[in-house]
Amino acid sequence: MEKRTDINTLGEFGLIEHLTKDVTVKNPNTLHGIGDDAAVIDAGKDALLISTDLLVEGIHFDLMYTPLKHLGYKAVVVNVSDIYAMNAVAEQITISLAISNRFSVEALEELYEGIALACKMYNVDLIGGDTTSSPKGLTISVTATGRAKKEDIVYRSGAKPGDIICITGDLGAAYLGLQLLEREKQVYLAAPGVQPDLEQKKYLVERQLKPEAAKESIAYFKKKKIQPTAMIDISDGLASEVFHICKSSKVGAFIEEAKIPIHPEAEEMALKFSLDPTMCALNGGEDYELLFTIDEKDLQEIRYMPSVYIIGEIVDAKDGIKLHTSGGNIHDLKAQGWKHFEDKA
Ligand code: ADP
Ligand code: MG
């Protein structure tokens, strides 16, 4: 019998690694291919950055509680975020859609209102895409391009022992927003007359449905001439992103649980759901803040950044990736991340 390996045995990152392990780069202007938030292409004086992301109905969004305008906005933001994660400025996007006939022209106009709003907010141009039919549901693929001076680009691989680990905003709220929306959906399905009251939980719901990319942080680095040593955007939860930086940079990390920023509303909601707020920050995802490391010499300037949290330090690889808990224990950080394949099997 022919060999058949279930994709769940590898997980998302293992699968990408497996499929791309023999990929080589032939063109000298491909400066950096697979393995970072965006690919880097030599474009003369500057470098061109390219990143792509796919959003699938039923996996990444549920239209029962996701307004199409927000979805359009988010689809752009999550791509722009990957360009920022390279310390670059986003400039263009393309949008590709697979749509079933369940969607009306008016519905798609709403989607495009959100796309246009994000293009305006982040100063990017919509320059193309593709449109096709789908047997069921909606799929959105966005590709973003950006630009940076070659020497300004920040990879996941530049962190070194002694560097300070920072993040640009609080974590876990988007995940808790999702839990809340999912719960309200179940309540609604059980008793369709009952309208959910989400007014009190605006922050969490917004973090989930209408995230923002860390534009100001990139502008601050530029203004202050600070170059992070490594950077990644937090799409899969802090733990997973710390692992990516450590793996690429061949270092370890020491994270202080007490320093991980968690919004009071997120903390409260986590406790209501009997979840550990720290676990939500570590493994929740979709925060779209930046995780970056800086040389110790830049610490003073970084302290003045409008939104920054210092959460730990890069250590030698042999010292591992550790979490110093608020209770005073030190244990190995575990990355769970999203498990789309398992969740939706
Ligand atoms: P991010 O979370 O920043 O969008 P991913 O985890 O999706 O990054 O991807 C990690 C790296 O693997 C990126 O360089 C991405 O371009 C690459 N990659 C992801 N999926 C594929 C694929 N199917 N084929 C080739 N490269 C891929
Ligand atoms: Mg990313």
Side-chain angles (χ1 to χ4, degrees):
M1 220 174 94
E2 229 176 280
K3 189 178 166 204
R4 189 192 182 280
T5 311
D6 194 291
I7 50 174
N8 288 320
T9 54
L10 295 178
E12 181 187 341
F13 303 127
L15 182 65
I16 298 172
E17 235 177 73
H18 178 74
L19 295 176
T20 60
K21 64 181 186 301
D22 298 326
V23 170
T24 53
V25 160
K26 291 170 283 298
N27 295 301
N29 65 342
T30 307
L31 298 180
H32 193 90
I34 295 164
D36 221 296
D37 290 282
V40 184
I41 295 164
D42 193 340
K45 201 165 90 300
D46 291 344
L48 183 70
L49 290 293
I50 303 189
S51 180
T52 194
D53 261 306
L54 192 59
L55 298 177
V56 178
E57 184 178 357
I59 303 282
H60 299 100
F61 58 90
D62 184 331
L63 291 174
M64 258 196 83
Y65 51 71
T66 309
L68 280 159
K69 187 172 172 181
H70 285 13
L71 180 62
Y73 191 89
K74 183 170 176 175
V76 176
V77 166
V78 303
N79 278 272
V80 163
S81 174
D82 275 325
I83 299 294
Y84 291 162
M86 306 300 289
N87 200 27
V89 178
E91 290 183 336
Q92 290 88 17
I93 52 159
T94 64
I95 306 268
S96 298
L97 300 177
I99 327 157
S100 79
N101 58 11
R102 202 181 96 222
F103 294 87
S104 65
V105 173
E106 288 74 19
L108 296 170
E109 280 172 358
E110 243 185 80
L111 180 77
Y112 266 72
E113 259 180 60
I115 291 171
L117 186 61
C119 285
K120 190 169 162 215
M121 285 295 292
Y122 292 94
N123 198 31
V124 297
D125 301 325
L126 172 58
I127 56 158
D130 196 18
T131 307
T132 181
S133 54
S134 135
K136 199 168 154 259
L138 175 66
T139 299
I140 309 171
S141 168
V142 181
T143 297
T145 63
R147 184 176 290 274
K149 286 206 180 78
K150 280 173 217 161
E151 62 273 22
D152 289 350
I153 294 174
V154 177
Y155 294 93
R156 295 177 180 178
S157 57
K160 54 187 192 318
D163 284 357
I164 316 290
I165 305 174
C166 312
I167 32 184
T168 54
D170 64 85
L171 303 179
Y175 175 75
L176 285 154
L178 180 64
Q179 301 312 304
L180 182 65
L181 290 162
E182 282 287 343
R183 188 190 65 184
E184 293 304 323
K185 175 185 165 181
Q186 296 313 326
V187 170
Y188 178 83
L189 288 175
V194 185
Q195 279 301 318
D197 176 21
L198 296 170
E199 255 319 287
Q200 306 300 315
K201 306 285 181 291
K202 241 182 160 162
Y203 183 72
L204 302 181
V205 171
E206 254 197 52
R207 289 285 277 176
Q208 168 57 220
L209 294 181
K210 194 172 172 290
E212 301 290 354
K215 188 178 174 192
E216 286 80 22
S217 301
I218 299 303
Y220 186 85
F221 295 149
K222 197 175 192 127
K223 189 167 131 209
K224 298 289 176 183
K225 298 191 169 61
I226 297 166
Q227 187 167 21
T229 50
M231 187 149 61
I232 186 169
D233 72 329
I234 306 179
S235 52
D236 296 325
L238 178 65
S240 169
E241 316 304 358
V242 168
F243 268 81
H244 283 312
I245 285 196
C246 287
K247 192 168 179 223
S248 291
S249 299
K250 300 187 176 66
V251 293
F254 192 82
I255 307 283
E256 298 278 357
E257 180 184 11
K259 301 272 181 66
I260 299 174
I262 297 173
H263 193 277
E265 276 187 35
E267 179 128 24
E268 192 192 323
M269 190 52 57
L271 298 175
K272 266 194 192 152
F273 278 117
S274 305
L275 295 167
D276 176 1
T278 301
M279 288 307 282
C280 295
L282 288 175
N283 298 307
E286 295 198 283
D287 300 299
Y288 299 104
E289 298 297 341
L290 296 172
L291 167 69
F292 63 95
T293 58
I294 51 151
D295 191 288
E296 223 180 341
K297 74 172 177 3
D298 292 325
L299 187 57
Q300 276 315 318
E301 286 284 19
I302 283 296
R303 283 193 199 281
Y304 295 115
M305 217 167 140
S307 175
V308 75
Y309 300 88
I310 294 169
I311 60 158
E313 197 183 319
I314 295 292
V315 297
D316 279 331
K318 67 169 172 26
D319 295 325
I321 303 174
K322 305 283 182 191
L323 182 72
H324 183 202
T325 69
S326 305
N329 295 316
I330 295 175
H331 54 68
D332 287 336
L333 190 69
K334 291 193 175 59
Q336 287 161 359
W338 284 119
K339 295 195 184 72
H340 290 312
F341 299 133
E342 284 169 40
D343 286 344
K344 308 287 171 177

